[in-house]
Amino acid sequence: MATRLKEVDVVIVGLGWTGGILAKELSEAGMRVVALERGVMRTTNPDFSIPLVRDELKYVVRNALMQNTARETLTFRNRQSDTALPMRQLGSFLPGEGVGGAGVHWNGVTWRWTGIDHTLRSHYEQRYGRAFIPADMPVHDWPVTYKELEPYYDRFERTAGVSGKAGNLRGVTQEGGNVFEAPRDRDYPLPPLEPSYSQLIFAEAAAASGYHPFSRPVANASRAYTNPDGSRLGACVYCGHCERFGCEANAKGSPHITVIPKAMAQPTFELRTHSWVTKVLLDSSKKKAVGVLYTDVATGQEYEQPASIVALCAYAINNVHLMLLSGIGTPYDPSTQKGVVGANYCYQPGGAEQGIRMFFEDKIFNPFMASGAFGVALDDFHASEQFDRGPVGGIGGATIIVGQSNGRPIQTRPVPAGTPRWGAEWKKATAKWYLRSMAINVTTSNMPNRYNYYDLDPTYRNVFGQPLMRLSYNFLDNDRKVFGYISQKALAIAQAMKPTSMNGPGALGDYSIVPYQSTHNTGGATMGATPRDSALNRYLQSWDVSNVFVVGANAFPHNSAYNPTGPVGALAYWVADAIKGRYRARPGLLT
Amino acid sequence: MNRSRGLLAVLAIAVIRFAVTSAKAGVDPDKGKAVFEQCAACHSLGEAGDYDGPTLKSIFGRKAGSLEDYRYSAAMKRSAVTWDAMTLDQYVTDPQAFIPGNRMAFAGITDKAERDDLIAYLAIATK
């Protein structure tokens, strides 16, 4: 029997970036907020202090900051005719667990999604005709415009301490920035980091080919910085232990050093760790949430936390899972294409597996001298409207990237194709090429497809006996066209750099859930203009249960060639403002 | 053996450099205040507060790793360093070279003039 607790104004499920932003904003506005986090508390000191944090075995091989698949995972299949099987080890993507969530272990790439991403369907229909979008691609426009979100992007960039250089200030193109970005009101709070040698020679080759290289925007502080809330960030020391680690120098914009401590300073805020929410509780009408049910995983005790507002702020996959488990919104059915919850799952083709790995006899790159996110990017094949998709025959684009996120000794062993996989020859090759190798990645957008979706698994269950999420997903024809076209452009730049040899680019075969690619899982509970094609309205409110807000990358109708955290953070501020302002005064569906 | 000899060499050079440059005019605590912004993300000059590093209040003359309410690395505690202008200069030049294995996540300040300004500022601001 669950113990019923005292009602609060807001219960937040999951305390990462989105939960942290809501927790701070709403508790500062005087609302009584409880955050339920299934993982543990974490702070930079002592959890991420050196030398202990630089432990590749613990954090990378054994995934210390990630969800434990023995308690909860998902099942996976490439196609309808397959039987989905549980993912028993993490691989392709890494949902975080614990206070700070994925905001602790991310690399920090912080794009603003731009022009076309907000108006994808209308853009393609207008420019290429209605028939250009296949019938099995249920893409729709965002219900929020870039212009509306611009100040919220700015807020997130300033909170997270983003280093970058503007490419378009109020419509005026800026030399050295991303000339294809949408207009911004002001520059980034911090200048770009120092580029690596690999980035410099790539930028030179790309510029010589007529492209527009720039330093991509990153939440790795290029110098010490105090954000507008008074949170202090240190300067990045290029230690190369960023993604999958917490930052020892507080240089990576993360919720556990910014918004979460600010929320915790509020008397109206309470954090409960080890608190695993199993269900959102609805009243008999099924139109209103009355709170959540959760289990203290340290004691096994079950609690009911009543609340006027339920904010789902867990990892995107888990947000959708909770909606399906709780009966919020109509589950998506691919056979009829009716229902919305679970639809529009997208990923991001073009991980390291498909990238171009180059080897130079005469160059030393020092790969261990690295920041998680710093990199040189080309947006000529994504945000650029000059890039004609007609000859590609596909929708979307790709960013071409040279980063240098790490040279961790256990897993960073690049060797030319044809090298034996073990033995003396392999040892010789890995010693020779470790310092002399760099990579170009082609990060490709991903359009939704009728058969790429989530539902509840009919067989497998989590530690609480609840059905696991089932993911049905594959790379499709559109992905192969777009990735294929742009990876050839990247290959031409690579060839111009005259490496001794190179591997790749790889081909897009079936999607494999085994090798790491990116933690950029989007969709499943999308925002849209009507309840017919989306689960959430423009304030990320469930169309069906209006006091449930579902905040995260689950809301994106498609996935961009950009990383997702920029708009995830911006949308969290946008939602917080809507709740503090209009919703609080007058609950119900906001318009 | 090699490591301690290397350390001795570093110390000797630092001592010589310090002796030379500290005689120079032009050390500017105001500039040092700007340099200190790099440190301020983790270090308070006053009360301990919610900082990840120990407070620098009254640091001159303090034995390294000796504040009771701060959890230091073992390396810092057994360093046998007492903080003064010279040891601070050596530490800030290359923290991991001066006290290997300490927990401060900072790459160091290579510019001697910047370090001099910083230490001049600290001499005033940590009193």
Side-chain angles (χ1 to χ4, degrees):
Chain A
M1 187 69 196
T3 306
R4 195 182 148 92
L5 303 168
K6 207 173 136 214
E7 180 165 0
V8 293
D9 296 322
V10 187
V11 63
I12 292 174
V13 181
L15 196 63
W17 261 130
T18 64
I21 289 169
L22 259 63
K24 172 185 172 289
E25 295 293 313
L26 302 182
S27 64
E28 284 180 356
M31 298 175 87
R32 288 165 302 153
V33 180
V34 164
L36 302 174
E37 164 57 48
R38 61 162 75 161
V40 299
M41 182 63 194
R42 288 202 185 93
T43 50
T44 301
N45 184 5
D47 294 295
F48 308 132
S49 52
I50 50 171
L52 295 176
V53 73
R54 294 191 190 169
D55 184 341
E56 186 181 3
L57 190 62
K58 175 177 175 182
Y59 290 102
V60 180
V61 179
R62 295 179 180 153
N63 292 314
L65 301 181
M66 310 306 169
Q67 195 171 292
N68 177 355
T69 55
R71 297 202 299 196
E72 169 127 286
T73 183
L74 44 75
T75 67
F76 170 72
R77 58 182 179 178
N78 280 116
R79 46 185 72 76
Q80 297 282 302
S81 53
D82 298 345
T83 300
L85 294 171
M87 176 178 76
R88 295 186 190 272
Q89 285 179 30
L90 293 173
S92 175
F93 45 85
L94 301 169
E97 191 173 287
V99 170
V104 170
H105 73 74
W106 71 318
N107 265 329
V109 180
T110 313
W111 297 100
R112 295 180 175 202
W113 286 22
T114 190
I116 303 175
D117 278 317
H118 281 262
T119 56
L120 202 92
R121 176 169 281 277
S122 39
H123 174 87
Y124 277 89
E125 285 187 353
Q126 274 158 27
R127 180 157 170 189
Y128 301 95
R130 278 176 163 267
F132 199 75
I133 303 178
D136 63 357
M137 188 186 285
V139 67
H140 57 262
D141 289 359
W142 280 38
V144 187
T145 65
Y146 170 77
K147 213 174 156 186
E148 285 174 310
L149 217 50
E150 201 281 336
Y152 297 94
Y153 273 120
D154 182 77
R155 234 157 113 188
F156 184 61
E157 287 163 0
R158 284 189 146 61
T159 299
V162 175
S163 304
K165 165 107 179 60
N168 182 338
L169 276 180
R170 297 183 201 144
V172 182
T173 299
Q174 307 291 312
E175 191 74 25
N178 180 9
V179 296
F180 302 115
E181 74 174 350
R184 22 185 325 121
D185 204 45
R186 54 177 172 168
D187 209 332
Y188 292 96
L190 292 167
L193 288 120
E194 294 297 327
S196 68
Y197 180 50
S198 57
Q199 290 158 15
L200 287 174
I201 62 172
F202 169 73
E204 199 180 315
S209 304
Y211 301 124
H212 301 82
F214 60 96
S215 287
R216 67 176 167 183
V218 300
N220 302 158
S222 56
R223 55 182 68 160
Y225 171 71
T226 302
N227 82 6
D229 303 322
S231 303
R232 299 174 303 268
L233 278 74
C236 176
V237 296
Y238 303 83
C239 77
H241 290 71
C242 199
E243 179 179 59
R244 309 189 190 197
F245 300 85
C247 180
E248 63 194 38
N250 284 344
K252 175 162 64 176
S254 293
H256 76 288
I257 59 166
T258 55
V259 287
I260 292 170
K262 296 295 166 194
M264 290 179 76
Q266 294 298 320
T268 49
F269 176 76
E270 186 191 343
L271 163 64
R272 293 182 206 138
T273 55
H274 300 105
S275 299
W276 184 306
V277 175
T278 49
K279 201 174 184 182
V280 179
L281 301 168
L282 306 181
D283 73 1
S284 56
S285 76
K286 306 284 176 201
K287 298 285 175 203
K288 187 178 174 236
V290 293
V292 300
L293 191 66
Y294 75 94
T295 299
D296 180 333
V297 292
T299 63
Q301 175 67 45
E302 198 172 41
Y303 296 93
E304 184 187 329
Q305 176 59 63
S308 312
I309 295 173
V310 175
L312 301 184
C313 296
Y315 191 64
I317 300 170
N318 298 332
N319 279 349
V320 182
H321 193 211
L322 266 176
M323 291 178 78
L324 290 170
L325 291 173
S326 310
I328 298 170
T330 312
Y332 172 71
D333 177 354
S335 63
T336 59
Q337 288 189 272
K338 295 265 184 339
V340 288
V341 181
N344 290 50
Y345 172 80
C346 292
Y347 194 51
Q348 204 162 50
E353 290 283 301
Q354 287 98 24
I356 301 169
R357 173 57 70 172
M358 306 157 75
F359 301 89
F360 294 81
E361 288 273 4
D362 59 341
K363 291 185 170 55
I364 298 285
F365 295 109
N366 290 340
F368 49 84
M369 216 156 64
S371 118
F374 78 149
V376 165
L378 304 182
D379 218 344
D380 299 66
F381 300 102
H382 172 59
S384 170
E385 299 201 8
Q386 292 146 32
F387 170 40
D388 183 2
R389 271 72 168 181
V392 184
I395 292 170
T399 48
I400 301 177
I401 309 280
V402 171
Q404 182 162 309
S405 72
N406 71 85
R408 296 184 300 249
I410 298 175
Q411 291 190 335
T412 309
R413 296 287 166 182
V415 287
T419 304
R421 296 190 62 183
W422 55 277
E425 284 305 308
W426 177 81
K427 283 184 187 166
K428 218 167 95 187
T430 189
K432 174 170 181 182
W433 296 112
Y434 175 78
L435 293 174
R436 294 181 171 82
S437 173
M438 61 169 280
I440 303 177
N441 287 331
V442 180
T443 304
T444 308
S445 64
N446 194 209
M447 296 304 124
N449 180 274
R450 176 179 182 174
Y451 293 110
N452 285 342
Y453 68 103
Y454 300 112
D455 63 356
L456 293 177
D457 191 273
T459 310
Y460 295 98
R461 291 173 183 269
N462 70 8
V463 73
F464 293 100
Q466 299 178 294
L468 291 183
M469 188 77 120
R470 176 168 67 176
L471 173 63
S472 304
Y473 179 76
N474 213 346
F475 296 143
L476 297 164
D477 190 43
N478 186 73
D479 306 313
R480 293 191 184 99
K481 283 178 181 163
V482 174
F483 173 79
Y485 185 93
I486 300 167
S487 64
Q488 289 307 306
K489 304 288 181 187
L491 180 62
I493 302 170
Q495 283 162 344
M497 292 167 72
K498 299 197 174 14
T500 310
S501 69
M502 63 181 137
N503 305 342
L508 279 185
D510 277 350
Y511 166 68
S512 167
I513 205 159
V514 177
Y516 184 74
Q517 289 151 76
S518 76
T519 306
H520 303 162
N521 315 75
T522 65
T526 67
M527 56 179 163
T530 73
R532 197 164 30 84
D533 62 8
S534 59
L536 312 174
N537 74 358
R538 69 198 299 257
Y539 298 104
L540 310 191
Q541 266 179 298
S542 161
W543 289 110
D544 299 276
V545 185
S546 67
N547 63 336
V548 173
F549 291 78
V550 189
V551 193
N554 54 268
F556 302 161
H558 71 283
N559 203 357
S560 174
Y562 293 145
N563 307 46
T565 309
V568 165
L571 282 167
Y573 277 113
W574 160 262
V575 169
D577 267 15
I579 294 175
K580 279 194 298 193
R582 299 194 296 129
Y583 182 90
R584 193 182 183 187
R586 212 177 144 195
L589 266 184
L590 297 169
T591 51
Chain B
M1 263 316 268
N2 276 342
R3 199 162 109 181
S4 58
R5 222 181 310 162
L7 187 61
L8 280 177
V10 169
L11 288 176
I13 292 165
V15 169
I16 294 162
R17 279 209 196 131
F18 186 78
V20 173
T21 49
S22 60
K24 275 189 201 161
V27 172
D28 183 350
D30 286 342
K31 281 189 192 159
K33 188 175 180 182
V35 178
F36 180 72
E37 283 174 20
Q38 297 175 66
C39 320
C42 299
H43 291 288
S44 158
L45 295 168
E47 295 312 307
D50 63 336
Y51 289 78
D52 281 329
T55 176
L56 302 184
K57 189 178 178 185
S58 310
I59 188 167
F60 285 81
R62 187 203 296 166
K63 192 181 162 322
S66 64
L67 287 180
E68 275 182 13
D69 56 356
Y70 188 78
R71 198 169 149 240
Y72 292 95
S73 59
M76 183 61 75
K77 280 194 278 197
R78 59 168 185 254
S79 67
V81 165
T82 299
W83 296 121
D84 57 25
M86 194 176 78
T87 52
L88 281 170
D89 184 72
Q90 289 165 343
Y91 185 51
V92 169
T93 303
D94 186 345
Q96 286 300 331
F98 188 56
I99 303 179
N102 85 80
R103 263 195 221 126
M104 186 166 80
F106 185 63
I109 299 172
T110 47
D111 186 311
K112 173 68 178 153
E114 277 188 27
R115 293 198 306 275
D116 288 347
D117 293 341
L118 171 68
I119 291 163
Y121 171 68
L122 288 177
I124 300 163
T126 60
K127 273 182 184 160

